[in-house]
Amino acid sequence: MTKHQLPSVETRLYINGEWVEGSKEKIPVTNPATGDVLTEIHQGAEAETEAAIAAAKKAFPTWSELPVTERAAYMNKLADLIEEDTNRLATIMTLEQGKPLTQAAGEIKSNVENLRWNAAQAQRVFGEIIPSPPTNQWQVRKQPVGVVGAITPWNFPSNMIIRKIAPGIAVGCTIVLKPAKETPLSALALMELFEKAEFPAGVVNIVLGDAKPIGKVLSESEDVAKITFTGSTNVGKILNQQASDSLKKVSLELGGHAPYIIFPDADLELAVDTLITTKFRNNGQVCVSPNRIFVHQDVKEEVTHLLVEKIQEVTVGDGMDDPTTGPLINQAGLDKVVAQLKDATEKGAKVLFGGQQLTEGEYQNGFFFQPTVLDEVTTDMDIYYEETFGPVIPLITFEDEDEVIKAANDTEFGLASYFFANNIQTIDKVSRGLDYGMVGVNDTAISNSATPFGGMKHSGFGRENGIYGVEEYVEVKFVNIRTAK
Ligand code: NAP
């Protein structure tokens, strides 16, 4: 007997406009809050991936040559269907992923915004006429790259998909998607809505199954023009290597280790409130989650006091009850947090709040961990350099600007960074000095349909969202037309 009823949702692969059973054994999808098996999904492998690529290739000429207004109409219809279906989509997401219902519904809302934004932007992917000699016309045209292979993670199991598909289909690409094994149902529920919106067969396909063979076929196929991946840095590197022989376009949204710096002139209430909201969003399982909290020594005592006071309001529980934060995704996720805590405390870090796994009562069958504040974190601790992906706030004290910029950049990652300050010189200097793709100043809202999202260094390359996100799906073609002798 499961605690919550899973809404009706497909469990098969969707290839060439048909729902098909996979050739491999089915696997269970589990609720991380209760341990309940929600359902079993079909699995395919190489053959299904090849079939999906063939379907996407077949659909490409017609889809890419549709008038852009028609592609936009399909997308807007899909946006409407997603909006109407928010409750079912959010419930499915909470049950398989664990995040609180309100956050799941917020993620669905961002899908709607992404689709509408990209449908509008598709109509503005302008080329150029470049000044040329009078005998010629120099044109720059933008054309869709072709078939796109998209591989997505479990932490935003719906929006990571739409963020990739929306700009792709807007410009005329067709898609083969491989979602994460922990959260296939959110992906399948979206596919149902693509079908309901009557997208032509083959424009969007989904393959489920073991990631390695599917990823290998997608990244090596000569029929796939681009790979777009969101996930860990290790897997991103593997895909980039596999894609190199066919010289396809690659976009990688990888891990992060965001610094969050509080300068002495900052609005401390705002800095602490924002830290708590941002850190406990999706229980810290976010690539842009604040992971190293640098606090100036002059305000350290006050910030620590505020933090320990406010963190007590954070509630932990089953996402269906809509607490502040839910469980971790699986045993490996929980083990990583436990190991980082153990390593840090053995090396001298002090637990100011939390620090324990939650195992009793309503928590007994889920992957729950207390919201945690850790002080006196130093460079010899794993947590200083490793992405945490859990509900831990590690505090580090600093003395001056140059020192903290250097420390913030002392990581292989370069995705999101944040700082709180009011002095304009500090804001200018620090925002220039941080080697990150995104910098939030007195704010952490860095993910929007209209603004470029992506990283530097080992956080990957390419951008999602905004006009930069759309450009990732087009080829630039120069056409030189001789019009006179
Ligand atoms: P992951 O293990 O890299 O998995 C991500 C996706 O890659 C899943 O679909 C997974 O499939 C697939 N995969 C695993 N091994 C593969 C292989 N050898 N070939 C092809 N695909 C493979 O990452 P995760 O643990 O799910 O996600 C967390 C990571 O994603 C964190 O590092 C986080 O920072 C990063 N992330 C980055 C962003 C960003 O925008 N930069 C956003 C969200 C998350 P299976 O699930 O079937 O194994």
Side-chain angles (χ1 to χ4, degrees), residues 151-155 160 178-182 209 211-212 215 229-232 235 238-239 253-256 287 387 389 415 453:
I151 303 178
T152 52
W154 48 262
N155 62 344
M160 292 296 114
K178 207 297 287 168
K181 64 180 169 310
E182 282 88 356
K212 272 192 193 159
F229 171 75
T230 299
S232 62
V235 174
I238 293 170
L239 288 169
E253 297 284 353
L254 309 177
C287 52
E387 189 180 31
F389 249 53
L415 191 60
F453 185 101

Side-chain angles (χ1 to χ4, degrees), residues 338-391:
V338 171
Q340 282 193 354
L341 250 290
K342 182 168 179 288
D343 170 79
T345 47
E346 280 173 5
K347 290 173 181 163
K350 304 262 179 311
V351 175
L352 301 185
F353 189 82
Q356 299 296 321
Q357 196 181 331
L358 292 160
T359 53
E360 303 293 320
E362 61 165 316
Y363 301 122
Q364 62 184 337
N365 296 318
F367 306 111
F368 291 97
F369 199 88
Q370 287 178 323
T372 296
V373 179
L374 197 59
D375 199 7
E376 297 179 36
V377 169
T378 49
T379 53
D380 56 332
M381 299 171 189
D382 293 342
I383 199 165
Y384 195 95
Y385 289 110
E386 271 181 17
E387 189 180 31
T388 303
F389 249 53

Side-chain angles (χ1 to χ4, degrees), residues 159-380:
N159 189 239
M160 292 296 114
I161 292 171
I162 290 296
R163 272 219 250 193
K164 297 187 182 310
I165 295 183
I169 58 175
V171 298
C173 296
T174 53
I175 313 283
V176 177
L177 167 71
K178 207 297 287 168
K181 64 180 169 310
E182 282 88 356
T183 55
L185 303 175
S186 292
L188 289 162
L190 285 177
M191 290 301 121
E192 291 175 339
L193 298 179
F194 274 98
E195 186 185 33
K196 202 168 169 189
E198 298 179 274
F199 274 76
V203 171
V204 175
N205 307 272
I206 185 168
V207 184
L208 309 169
D210 188 2
K212 272 192 193 159
I214 294 173
K216 193 160 172 4
V217 173
L218 280 177
S219 51
E220 290 182 352
S221 170
E222 290 288 348
D223 288 331
V224 175
K226 174 184 168 71
I227 285 287
T228 170
F229 171 75
T230 299
S232 62
T233 294
N234 279 348
V235 174
K237 287 180 185 175
I238 293 170
L239 288 169
N240 196 31
Q241 279 162 7
Q242 288 175 175
S244 67
D245 250 5
S246 58
L247 290 175
K248 49 176 67 60
K249 274 183 172 257
V250 178
S251 303
L252 300 173
E253 297 284 353
L254 309 177
H257 200 36
Y260 188 104
I261 310 167
I262 304 177
F263 285 97
D265 67 326
D267 178 334
L268 300 184
E269 287 266 351
L270 177 72
V272 171
D273 286 343
T274 310
L275 174 61
I276 288 181
T277 313
T278 312
K279 184 73 214 185
F280 295 106
R281 175 167 167 250
N282 206 3
N283 210 12
Q285 303 169 115
V286 184
C287 52
V288 295
S289 194
N291 265 355
R292 290 166 298 149
I293 319 306
F294 296 97
V295 187
H296 192 273
Q297 61 180 5
D298 291 354
V299 290
K300 177 72 190 312
E301 204 179 313
E302 193 178 345
V303 166
T304 309
H305 176 78
L306 277 173
L307 186 58
V308 171
E309 183 184 292
K310 286 172 187 274
I311 203 171
Q312 310 198 22
E313 290 160 25
V314 173
T315 54
V316 184
D318 185 331
M320 294 299 289
D321 299 328
D322 215 22
T324 316
T325 197
L328 290 153
I329 188 72
N330 55 25
Q331 190 63 48
L334 183 61
D335 289 347
K336 186 175 184 189
V337 173
V338 171
Q340 282 193 354
L341 250 290
K342 182 168 179 288
D343 170 79
T345 47
E346 280 173 5
K347 290 173 181 163
K350 304 262 179 311
V351 175
L352 301 185
F353 189 82
Q356 299 296 321
Q357 196 181 331
L358 292 160
T359 53
E360 303 293 320
E362 61 165 316
Y363 301 122
Q364 62 184 337
N365 296 318
F367 306 111
F368 291 97
F369 199 88
Q370 287 178 323
T372 296
V373 179
L374 197 59
D375 199 7
E376 297 179 36
V377 169
T378 49
T379 53
D380 56 332

